Amino acid sequence: MLSRVIPSSGEKLPVIGLGTWQVFDVELTADKEKQLAEVLSVFARLGGRVIDSSPMYGRSEEVIGALMTKLGLRDQLFLATKVWTRGKAAGIDSIERSLKRFQAQEIDLMQVHNLVDVETQLATLRDWKDKGRVRYIGITHYNESAFPEVEKILKKQELDFLQINYSVTERAAEQRILPLAQDRRVAVIVNRPFGGGDLISRVRSKPLPEWAVEFDCRSWAQLLLKWIVVQPAVTCVIPATNKTEHLRDNLQAGWGGLPDGKGRERITQLIASI
Ligand SMILES: NC(=O)c1ccc[n+]([C@@H]2O[C@H](COP(=O)([O-])OP(=O)(O)OC[C@H]3O[C@@H](n4cnc5c(N)ncnc54)[C@H](OP(=O)(O)O)[C@@H]3O)[C@@H](O)[C@H]2O)c1
């Protein structure tokens, strides 16, 4: 799969990852366990690494931890999660609970969720990074209204990662945030690539244009993901799914050609017309 470099370390990550909001917040009944174990195995087998969670996502961390351990996948996955609380002590408690739920010794990426108590939590994350229990640190948000604050933090703090919303219908990040992240050598994880699912629902019943094959796209999901991946500031995109068929579809966007400037504009115009 196509990969991109994390600027602060030189480590490479595959461009398509996996989001887990809602879709991994499930009770592990026998059926669900079978379904999600298959999703995780296929994800790792087809070259996926980045899996994103949060203590805010209910049982997601616990479900990932249980399945990852059972399947022996810890070394293949790049575990990203978040701290989403106020105060130093509560932040430390939260990170410790995340480690327990993941059944892991170390978390690859710890992010401050939605900038909640961002200065306090980043100070703790830096300390944990120095101690080697967190490999990378970052911040996240999902809404344009927070971009001015995101920009301030990007300028002021030394971060490894920024996670932000970006898609063909949520383009604000390309104005200032993505160029600034590139300038500051911060890796970018893109959330909400399908607008939380609305975007894909909107186009799903329409026929895929014939010219999509010019960029090796065989589905709407691939067209929408490649539109994002072609941005050089983007390190990884994390569409959420708990369905193997959708996962395979999304991972395929990490392979083959990408649209050029004209192709990207064509996709933009097409989506705007639907
Ligand atoms: N503040 C933050 O830190 C923040 C905020 C938002 C999101 N995030 C992260 O980013 C991830 C992604 O964002 P998101 O979950 O909001 O939305 P999203 O990835 O834009 O959309 C997810 C929806 O798309 C559907 N889908 C996925 N692949 C598909 C395919 N190939 N074909 C058809 N439908 C498909 C999924 O349904 P199925 O399950 O049916 O496939 C799901 O309903 C989250 O899960 C989370 O990890 C972080």
Side-chain angles (χ1 to χ4, degrees), residues 95-143:
I95 303 169
E96 275 168 354
R97 279 199 304 272
S98 290
L99 276 164
K100 274 203 190 113
R101 288 192 288 253
F102 278 138
Q103 304 180 34
Q105 299 303 313
E106 168 193 90
I107 286 172
D108 295 293
L109 167 61
M110 185 58 86
Q111 309 152 101
V112 180
H113 198 152
N114 289 351
L115 312 179
V116 175
D117 199 8
V118 64
E119 304 269 346
T120 310
Q121 305 309 345
L122 273 179
T124 300
L125 297 194
R126 219 172 288 293
D127 184 39
W128 277 58
K129 187 178 165 184
D130 290 345
K131 288 183 181 139
R133 296 193 72 192
V134 165
R135 296 175 61 223
Y136 298 101
I137 65 172
I139 57 170
T140 78
H141 213 281
Y142 69 101
N143 195 292

Side-chain angles (χ1 to χ4, degrees), residues 215-236:
F215 334 120
D216 301 314
C217 287
R218 299 206 154 55
S219 70
W220 283 108
Q222 290 167 27
L223 206 66
L224 296 170
L225 290 173
K226 286 199 176 195
W227 184 95
I228 296 167
V229 163
V230 74
Q231 257 280 359
V234 170
T235 312
C236 174

Side-chain angles (χ1 to χ4, degrees), residues 20-21 52 57 114 140 163 191 194 196 238 240-241 243 246 250:
T20 65
W21 181 54
D52 178 69
Y57 302 167
N114 289 351
T140 78
Q163 184 188 135
N191 65 36
F194 304 140
I238 48 167
T241 188
K243 303 189 174 67
H246 287 171
N250 298 343

Side-chain angles (χ1 to χ4, degrees), residues 27-145:
E27 190 188 335
L28 273 189
T29 58
D31 279 358
K32 275 289 170 202
E33 180 168 343
K34 190 165 173 263
Q35 179 189 338
L36 290 181
E38 184 178 87
V39 165
L40 272 196
S41 312
V42 170
F43 181 63
R45 196 163 64 239
L46 297 185
R49 283 194 67 208
V50 178
I51 182 160
D52 178 69
S53 188
S54 170
M56 187 201 177
Y57 302 167
R59 290 157 288 190
S60 161
E61 288 182 327
E62 204 180 315
V63 165
I64 296 168
L67 296 176
M68 176 180 77
T69 306
K70 205 165 178 181
L71 297 164
L73 291 178
R74 176 63 191 100
D75 292 346
Q76 288 166 68
L77 297 180
F78 182 98
L79 283 183
T81 194
K82 309 181 186 105
V83 55
W84 180 63
T85 189
R86 292 187 182 277
K88 182 172 170 162
I92 293 170
D93 269 8
S94 170
I95 303 169
E96 275 168 354
R97 279 199 304 272
S98 290
L99 276 164
K100 274 203 190 113
R101 288 192 288 253
F102 278 138
Q103 304 180 34
Q105 299 303 313
E106 168 193 90
I107 286 172
D108 295 293
L109 167 61
M110 185 58 86
Q111 309 152 101
V112 180
H113 198 152
N114 289 351
L115 312 179
V116 175
D117 199 8
V118 64
E119 304 269 346
T120 310
Q121 305 309 345
L122 273 179
T124 300
L125 297 194
R126 219 172 288 293
D127 184 39
W128 277 58
K129 187 178 165 184
D130 290 345
K131 288 183 181 139
R133 296 193 72 192
V134 165
R135 296 175 61 223
Y136 298 101
I137 65 172
I139 57 170
T140 78
H141 213 281
Y142 69 101
N143 195 292
E144 189 184 340
S145 60

